Amino acid sequence: RKAYRDLPEAATVFPDPKTLPSRSKQTELLERAFALAARRAGASVVSLEITRSEPFLMRVPQVPDPKRGLQRYAGPVSGVLVSKDGFIVTSLYGFANTEPLVWPGYPNDIVETFGKITGVVAHLPDGSSLPAKIVAHDQRVGLVCLKVEPPATSAWAPIEAAPPESATVGRLVLCVGNPFGAKRRPAPLVTVGMYSRLHPVDDEKAFRGNFQTDAGMTDGNVGGALVDVHGRILGLATLWDPAATGRNSGIGFGIPWARVLAALPDLEAGKTVKFGSGFLGVTWSQVEGTGGVRIDSVQA
């Protein structure tokens, strides 16, 4: 302001802060919208407590022994109630290592990891806690489907979907999670970001078909609902590779809700979808002057 005060437009570009209101009505309206959207979506977001027969370890490329990986988060993760009869969907990331789906050459031990889960308890927004059965999972989409038996008096309501055409770049996105376990909280965990881009469905990366968002994601709110400012769900919050993108790094993903609903009938029927990437398993070097290559090593 001081440097440009002699220019005619300075007063407009750099107005005196003393004349500006400390808060605008628009800010209050937006904050109120965030609170209402979180409360509306939070009524369908559950907390999932997972017990395992051995520690949950994250693969590290520099350490080939899978028993010597980094300790993964062991607390409750989030999920979304999708039907009145007790079906829940959540992110595969919270249940198994998704690195084999990201990096070709990693042994796909996802099914083996599920075999080491000894139990899941779902803590519902109404305060009830029920055992949850793992019904199936879909490795390509990155989903897990669980089932609880609702009491006869339950009034659970599945979350409302946002119109598909509203999923556009630049839209505000709220990540609504419930990592609190049996501890009831008056409100869900909420972070805010933007719908950053949509990755093509024919992308070679594991996050093909996902939209990207910078709404803060942790191991606890992954599996929760990514919603618009009206509390309508746009997608399911997920991560793929924390070693590469980090947790809460500004690189999070959403599985579009239409893809979740498309996968749901098979998941509810108990059909697990396994998925792997093709992998050649060789290294080579170019042989000058021949137009060919030399095979230097072959993996077992």
Side-chain angles (χ1 to χ4, degrees):
R1 189 179 299 107
K2 184 177 179 181
Y4 293 97
R5 63 187 175 189
D6 296 332
L7 297 178
E9 59 269 31
T12 303
V13 178
F14 304 109
D16 183 350
K18 295 179 182 178
T19 65
L20 297 177
S22 58
R23 289 174 63 84
S24 69
K25 293 181 179 179
Q26 287 80 8
T27 300
E28 291 187 9
L29 288 172
L30 187 59
E31 289 173 345
R32 194 181 308 164
F34 284 172
L36 291 172
R39 188 169 66 186
R40 182 181 185 186
S44 301
V45 178
V46 306
S47 193
L48 301 170
E49 204 164 0
I50 308 166
T51 54
R52 305 174 189 269
S53 60
E54 59 182 62
F56 186 24
L57 301 178
M58 181 177 71
R59 290 282 180 75
V60 181
Q62 294 80 6
V63 183
D65 184 355
K67 296 186 181 298
R68 294 181 56 214
L70 296 176
Q71 179 70 51
R72 275 282 300 268
Y73 165 82
V77 300
S78 302
V80 176
L81 189 68
V82 290
S83 67
K84 293 182 179 180
D85 52 354
F87 281 104
I88 296 167
V89 290
T90 186
S91 168
L92 179 64
Y93 170 86
F95 280 70
N97 287 316
T98 50
E99 287 89 350
L101 305 176
V102 178
W103 300 107
Y106 271 26
N108 189 333
D109 60 350
I110 291 176
V111 173
E112 180 184 346
T113 305
F114 271 95
K116 296 172 183 175
I117 295 174
T118 57
V120 182
V121 176
H123 304 284
L124 285 301
D126 63 5
S128 60
S129 297
L130 298 170
K133 176 187 175 183
I134 299 174
V135 179
H137 69 272
D138 188 320
Q139 295 180 16
R140 182 173 177 84
V141 183
L143 293 173
V144 179
C145 179
L146 303 101
K147 178 74 164 62
V148 296
E149 295 302 328
T153 57
S154 69
W156 299 343
I159 197 165
E160 181 184 351
E165 64 274 11
S166 69
T168 55
V169 170
R171 176 170 292 277
L172 285 172
V173 173
L174 281 69
C175 183
V176 181
N178 186 350
F180 305 123
K183 298 178 181 178
R184 294 195 67 184
R185 293 289 188 269
L189 175 65
V190 181
T191 58
V192 181
M194 182 180 290
Y195 189 117
S196 304
R197 65 169 294 191
L198 177 63
H199 293 273
V201 293
D202 58 352
D203 198 309
E204 63 180 17
K205 301 295 185 181
F207 40 79
R208 64 185 70 81
N210 290 183
F211 64 86
Q212 191 168 318
T213 179
D214 60 345
M217 290 193 193
T218 67
D219 283 10
N221 68 359
V222 165
L226 292 170
V227 303
D228 62 15
V229 292
H230 304 287
R232 303 172 302 185
I233 192 164
L234 295 161
L236 195 77
T238 194
L239 289 171
W240 285 99
D241 182 17
T245 58
R247 301 167 181 85
N248 208 4
S249 65
I251 301 177
F253 301 96
I255 304 170
W257 197 238
R259 292 192 75 194
V260 175
L261 295 180
L264 201 54
D266 280 348
L267 289 170
E268 290 180 349
K271 298 178 181 178
T272 284
V273 179
K274 301 176 185 178
F275 180 75
S277 299
F279 183 64
L280 193 58
V282 301
T283 62
W284 63 83
S285 56
Q286 190 170 357
V287 181
E288 295 294 336
T290 68
V293 296
R294 176 187 294 109
I295 300 299
D296 295 324
S297 67
V298 179
Q299 291 199 13

